Amino acid sequence: VVSRAVAIAMAEGGLENCRANIMFAVTGFADSGDEPGLVHFACARAGRKTLHREEHFGPVGRGPVRVQCMRVAVERMTEML
């Protein structure tokens, strides 16, 4: 499922179930689905509020969406440091 709630649950659940300090989760439609290019991101860190971000990259294809997702991941994780 592609939604804010799922991205947050993935990040927080991962953080609770492993020894990581920061957890990042992505769920979206890379090149097909209800809205191609819709992606939800969540970044969780112990003792901090989980960050969520929703992006609409548009129907640009799987490759470009993946590149944009990597940029968002680095940006969000940097904010959590």
Side-chain angles (χ1 to χ4, degrees):
V1 175
V2 176
S3 71
R4 178 182 200 275
V6 169
I8 290 172
M10 289 168 54
E12 291 177 350
L15 192 63
E16 291 173 8
N17 290 290
C18 73
R19 296 175 60 182
N21 293 319
I22 299 174
M23 187 64 64
F24 192 79
V26 181
T27 182
F29 300 114
D31 61 1
S32 62
D34 293 341
E35 183 185 334
L38 169 64
V39 183
H40 288 273
F41 305 90
C43 191
R45 183 173 180 183
R48 300 202 47 199
K49 182 178 178 185
T50 299
L51 299 177
H52 170 264
R53 181 166 166 177
E54 178 179 326
E55 288 288 343
H56 299 265
F57 298 120
V60 295
R62 180 174 292 278
V65 169
R66 292 172 82 182
V67 169
Q68 292 298 333
C69 287
M70 291 298 297
R71 287 185 178 136
V72 171
V74 169
E75 190 178 294
R76 283 294 182 184
M77 290 179 78
T78 299
E79 288 177 36
M80 281 293 198
L81 295 177

